[in-house]
Amino acid sequence: MDTRRLPPNATIGIFGGGQLGRMTAMAAARLGYKCHIYAPEGDIPASQVSAETTRAAYDDAGALEAFARRVDVVTLEFENIPVEAVRRVNEITPVHPGADVLEICQDRVLEKKFLDRAGVATAPWAEVSDRAALDRADAAIGRPAVLKSARFGYDGKGQAAVRAGDDLSAALQSTGATRCILEGLVDFVCEISVIVARGADGAVASWPAVENRHAHHILDTTIAPAQVSPAVAAKAEEIARHVAAQIGLVGVMGVEMFVTRDDGVLVNEMAPRPHNSGHWTIDACDTSQFEQLVRIVCGLPLGATTRHSDAVMKNLIGDEVDAWPQILAEPGARLHLYGKAETRPGRKMGHVTRLSPRTGK
Ligand code: AMP
């Protein structure tokens, strides 16, 4: 594994050009690094703050090779980068996190199998590869349940609730997929997540567990730290650190979990990149999730994850961003806008973090 320490002025390649790439590039710039974005889409918020952009498809072999030769290391801000692209680039320049980690996190079946092997508790689940398998899964898991496409599902996309009386064929059709998992519906008290970082040398750092509240299947608010018992908070961090070590992460990962009524902690899913529920770390911690990723891919020591303040992070979704002048006028509110050209319903346009004096551990 490559553990070279890259000096300032080196160039970090980033697959994906959204707000996560943008905030990674801003953290990189602070440490004297340049960024080169690789993304296929037209509106690339990360490009506005990066030295270079390659606008090309993820299967453009020539563009991938040229990109790999122009950068010193590569990371990603989007977990659905085709693993073939990552493998191709990695033959020339190291990519962190690697293709093996991505492969698991891109596929809910592989992800759940990995979690089972790692001894990590999840909702009861069964693999669904065709209609007959769905009947078997339904018999094993029971209802209520949720059917999720194995691939390319996020923010509630590719999911169907399966309640008593629901038609299974219709549910399967509505996911738009053939490979799925059926998961028992968890009667959770709250949803939490932990951001964990792991260096190539195996050093691990994590931030405290936070509570996440969703609106219309999209993260709306993150409360840091989560208002859970110290035992639940400790268990959640422990699980995230275990997952990072077991999967061999080199980078930053968001681990989403459910807290059950009996104080159990079940992992829902993992995202091997900076995570929306970690944005508060920019304003409330010694080292943000973005700076930590830069440190890791550049072979620098991990930074302290100490939280100096409590925080509430509110995403500005769609036209909520129109409130920016009022937010700017609010003492202590830290406004982050992503420079997206077009406001659309459901689109993450920015976020605001409100700090308060640190309480508790
Ligand atoms: P996901 O795409 O897996 O993150 O799911 C999106 C959201 O759906 C989660 O944040 C939960 O609010 C809800 N959800 C997903 N899976 C379950 C489950 N097994 N039980 C209860 N709620 C779930």
Side-chain angles (χ1 to χ4, degrees):
M1 187 169 292
D2 187 271
T3 50
R4 268 181 319 157
R5 175 171 292 198
L6 294 177
N9 280 318
T11 300
I12 303 169
I14 303 177
F15 276 124
Q19 63 268 17
L20 301 174
R22 177 183 174 98
M23 289 184 273
T24 303
M26 289 165 79
R30 200 163 72 114
L31 294 179
Y33 296 102
K34 299 188 179 71
C35 286
H36 182 154
I37 306 298
Y38 190 111
E41 59 271 7
D43 185 9
I44 307 179
S47 291
Q48 297 164 11
V49 297
S50 295
E52 276 198 65
T53 298
T54 295
R55 192 176 155 198
Y58 290 123
D59 61 357
D60 183 334
L64 288 169
E65 186 177 330
F67 170 67
R69 295 200 187 285
R70 288 181 62 83
V71 300
D72 298 295
V73 69
V74 177
T75 189
L76 47 100
E77 62 106 55
F78 171 59
E79 69 271 29
N80 283 323
I81 308 296
V83 288
E84 300 74 31
V86 171
R87 293 213 162 96
R88 193 178 280 266
V89 167
N90 192 56
E91 282 168 16
I92 300 168
T93 304
V95 184
H96 302 304
D100 296 352
V101 173
L102 275 192
E103 204 158 38
I104 292 173
C105 297
Q106 285 178 356
D107 187 303
R108 291 188 194 270
V109 174
L110 299 183
E111 190 174 57
K112 285 285 197 287
K113 285 183 174 168
F114 160 78
L115 291 167
D116 284 355
R117 275 199 310 278
V120 174
T122 66
W125 71 280
E127 186 172 349
V128 174
S129 46
D130 55 28
R131 182 63 186 77
L134 180 53
D135 281 330
R136 292 194 295 276
D138 183 42
I141 302 298
R143 304 188 186 191
V146 50
L147 187 65
K148 300 179 177 180
S149 67
R151 297 177 67 82
F152 303 119
Y154 62 93
D155 289 347
K157 294 189 176 74
Q159 299 194 13
V162 182
R163 299 193 182 81
D166 282 351
D167 178 52
L168 288 176
S169 296
L172 188 56
Q173 203 167 23
S174 79
T175 64
T178 43
R179 276 183 73 251
C180 291
I181 62 169
L182 186 70
E183 231 179 75
L185 200 72
V186 178
D187 178 24
F188 57 77
V189 184
C190 64
E191 292 187 75
I192 61 172
S193 58
V194 171
I195 312 296
V196 59
R198 185 170 177 273
D201 60 356
V204 177
S206 51
W207 287 264
V210 296
E211 178 178 343
N212 299 316
R213 299 198 179 150
H214 298 84
H216 314 292
H217 300 287
I218 299 172
L219 180 67
D220 183 74
T221 303
T222 292
I223 300 160
Q227 303 302 300
V228 293
S229 72
V232 166
K235 198 188 300 181
E237 267 197 72
E238 182 57 42
I239 290 171
R241 296 169 79 99
H242 176 66
V243 165
Q246 289 294 306
I247 206 168
L249 176 73
V250 176
V252 166
M253 172 180 268
V255 183
E256 299 177 21
M257 309 173 209
F258 301 122
V259 180
T260 61
R261 304 214 170 262
D262 56 356
D263 274 358
V265 178
L266 306 178
V267 169
N268 177 30
E269 61 179 4
M270 302 118 65
R273 50 161 172 80
H275 193 261
N276 194 168
S277 71
H279 291 0
W280 67 281
T281 62
I282 299 175
D283 296 306
C285 297
D286 285 357
T287 308
S288 74
Q289 60 170 347
F290 301 103
E291 179 178 330
Q292 202 75 295
L293 178 60
V294 170
R295 284 171 174 252
I296 288 167
V297 300
C298 293
L300 309 180
L302 296 186
T305 53
T306 315
R307 165 181 112 258
H308 53 72
S309 302
D310 289 356
V312 175
M313 187 284 312
K314 166 84 180 81
N315 270 338
L316 301 173
I317 296 169
D319 60 14
E320 286 175 351
V321 73
D322 295 344
W324 67 266
Q326 292 89 295
I327 295 169
L328 264 186
E330 201 186 302
R334 292 155 198 237
L335 179 66
H336 301 252
L337 298 179
Y338 304 151
K340 294 186 182 178
E342 197 193 331
T343 306
R344 287 196 297 266
R347 195 170 198 210
K348 292 172 181 168
M349 303 302 294
H351 71 266
V352 53
T353 302
R354 297 181 170 95
L355 301 182
S356 57
R358 176 177 163 158
T359 56
K361 256 189 77 184

